[in-house]
């Protein structure tokens, strides 16, 4: 699934992405580290993997989107 980086804190390696419908979804340092990224800028397109549904949805991987 693709999304847009919305916030990112380099100290904690956590942030949020916006799904294409505008829904914000938070990611933790574990999901960020799993993607091998070193930095993320708001507005970048990313690819995410999630697990769970609704309010229990959580991001397990954040990588840069490729087209």
């Amino acid at each position: 699934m693709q999304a847009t980086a919305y916030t990112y804190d380099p100290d904690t390696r956590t942030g949020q992405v916006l799904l294409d419908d505008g829904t914000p979804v938070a990611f933790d340092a574990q999901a960020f580290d799993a993607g091998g990224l070193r930095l993320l800028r708001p507005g970048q397109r990313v690819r995410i993997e999630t697990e769970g549904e609704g309010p229990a949805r959580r991001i397990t991987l954040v990588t840069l989107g490729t087209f």
Side-chain angles (χ1 to χ4, degrees):
M1 167 184 317
Q2 291 199 355
T4 303
Y6 182 52
T7 64
Y8 174 67
D9 181 341
D11 294 327
T12 62
R13 298 180 327 281
T14 61
Q16 289 184 318
V17 299
L18 291 177
L19 302 181
D20 289 342
D21 68 1
T23 303
V25 182
F27 62 86
D28 59 18
Q30 185 177 4
F32 183 79
D33 292 345
L37 298 176
R38 296 187 321 183
L39 181 65
L40 190 61
R41 291 186 177 91
Q44 281 183 300
R45 287 296 283 177
V46 294
R47 187 178 68 81
I48 59 171
E49 292 182 10
T50 63
E51 65 182 23
E53 296 293 325
R57 182 187 317 193
R58 108 180 166 81
I59 296 175
T60 58
L61 176 74
V62 179
T63 62
L64 290 181
T66 57
F67 302 96

